[in-house]
């Protein structure tokens, strides 16, 4: 087994089940054109998010970390007509590129893109006492993942799905002495998930078009 077979199988799956259209391929191309990193989820991971949304009948979704809007487009496309994605992005330029891609995909009415630090915007959303979210996708900076998760819990109801990307980091999470703050951030989150009685959680390893990594999935039991 090697990376090549994982890539070929990922392409096989996406050809079958997660075909990208022009709005999605344009979004990926816009990252290179605009100098953004190629850190979007893969097509199959985008489809995975849609499957999770449909499983929990999601009408209201929160995303932390928009980048160029690739995952946002997958999320928004799985919403019913009256559904909404709020997506938070700290970088102004990323936000501008994402907004163009979301507009280009015809999804402007379904996506509320907020530019600012997640750590500032989350308490603002909590203060407004909005209806809880049905699904929350955490894909922003890794060191405060535990804090983001705790905010996400405050914006949840029993049954809300909270999904956190990049929590295995090529297996570096096994290194208890890692000095990498991204690794430390997700180690802290993974440990918290193992102890938190308010959620039922697991982690799936991911291979394929992206680096070897993992996605944590938690369902909220109680608030
Ligand atoms: C992995 S990328 C997101 C990829 C995107 N979800 C996708 O799959 O298309 C992470 C994004 O989080 C943003 N980010 C980093 N720190 C942030 C913060 N404190 N608040 C909000 N966004 C942040 C980065 O600027 C970057 O655009």
């Amino acid at each position: 087994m090697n990376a090549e077979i994982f890539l070929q199988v990922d392409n096989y799956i996406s050809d079958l089940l997660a075909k990208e259209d022009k709005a999605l391929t344009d979004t990926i191309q816009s990252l290179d054109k605009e100098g953004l990193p190629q850190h979007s989820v893969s097509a199959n991971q985008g489809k995975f998010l849609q499957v999770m949304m449909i499983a929990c009948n999601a009408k209201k979704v929160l995303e932390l970390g928009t980048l160029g809007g690739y995952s946002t487009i997958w999320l928004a496309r799985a919403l019913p007509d009256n559904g909404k994605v709020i997506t938070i992005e700290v970088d102004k330029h990323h936000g501008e590129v994402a907004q163009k891609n979301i507009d280009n995909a015809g999804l402007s009415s379904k996506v509320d893109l907020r530019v600012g630090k997640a750590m500032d915007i989350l308490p603002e959303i909590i203060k407004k006492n909005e209806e809880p979210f049905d699904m929350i996708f955490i894909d922003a900076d890794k060191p405060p993942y535990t804090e983001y998760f705790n905010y996400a819990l405050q914006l949840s109801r029993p049954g809300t799905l909270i999904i956190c990307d990049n929590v295995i980091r090529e297996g570096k999470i096994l290194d208890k002495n890692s000095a990498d703050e991204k690794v430390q951030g997700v180690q802290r989150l993974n440990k918290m998930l193992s102890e938190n009685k308010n959620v039922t959680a697991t982690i799936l390893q991911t291979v394929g078009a992206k680096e070897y990594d993992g996605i944590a999935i938690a369902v909220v039991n109680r608030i």
Side-chain angles (χ1 to χ4, degrees):
M1 288 294 166
N2 57 35
E4 185 52 35
I5 186 90
F6 293 141
L7 176 60
Q8 284 178 20
V9 172
D10 210 16
N11 290 337
Y12 162 84
I13 300 168
S14 50
D15 282 348
L16 277 176
L17 295 162
K19 271 235 178 296
E20 291 173 305
D21 66 356
K22 191 161 181 314
L24 287 167
T25 54
D26 283 353
T27 298
I28 293 300
Q29 283 168 18
S30 76
L31 302 181
D32 285 340
K33 274 191 222 144
E34 298 285 345
L36 274 58
Q38 287 290 351
H39 288 171
S40 314
V41 296
S42 67
N44 287 330
Q45 290 163 358
K47 183 69 181 283
F48 168 79
L49 293 172
Q50 291 193 331
V51 171
M52 292 294 105
M53 277 179 66
I54 291 161
C56 69
N57 195 20
K59 295 183 186 61
K60 210 178 150 195
V61 174
L62 175 65
E63 175 179 60
L64 312 189
T66 319
L67 189 61
Y70 184 82
S71 53
T72 318
I73 291 172
W74 281 98
L75 292 168
R77 284 180 168 171
L79 287 170
D81 286 346
N82 59 348
K84 198 86 180 171
V85 181
I86 296 179
T87 183
I88 303 175
E89 171 55 54
V90 74
D91 186 297
K92 203 164 160 274
H93 182 50
H94 293 187
E96 285 161 2
V97 173
Q99 191 61 60
K100 272 192 210 149
N101 288 325
I102 290 160
D103 296 346
N104 183 42
L107 293 165
S108 332
S109 64
K110 286 191 167 167
V111 178
D112 175 356
L113 169 61
R114 305 200 184 169
V115 175
K117 285 186 191 162
M119 212 63 104
D120 295 336
I121 294 177
L122 289 166
E124 283 170 18
I125 301 176
I126 291 167
K127 233 190 261 166
K128 286 202 178 125
N129 225 353
E130 291 200 28
E131 289 275 296
F133 290 88
D134 304 305
M135 192 171 107
I136 299 175
F137 178 46
I138 301 179
D139 193 21
D141 49 330
K142 312 306 163 194
Y145 256 30
T146 305
E147 288 68 32
Y148 291 158
F149 192 91
N150 286 328
Y151 277 128
L153 275 180
Q154 293 181 60
L155 291 163
S156 295
R157 55 165 172 78
T160 294
L161 278 184
I162 306 177
I163 298 180
C164 309
D165 200 11
N166 310 120
V167 301
I168 294 298
R169 313 207 66 79
E170 297 177 295
K172 293 183 187 132
I173 37 82
L174 295 178
D175 179 2
K176 290 192 181 110
N177 301 317
S178 174
D180 179 334
E181 57 176 16
K182 294 182 185 170
V183 172
Q184 290 174 356
V186 299
Q187 283 172 328
R188 210 155 53 83
L189 173 90
N190 296 342
K191 181 156 191 306
M192 182 274 285
L193 289 178
S194 76
E195 293 163 352
N196 193 323
K197 300 272 186 294
N198 296 326
V199 297
T200 301
T202 193
I203 297 170
L204 297 177
Q205 300 185 65
T206 54
V207 293
K210 298 282 160 175
E211 281 165 352
Y212 165 47
D213 215 316
I215 297 184
I217 307 164
V219 60
V220 177
N221 305 324
R222 62 181 189 212
I223 298 296

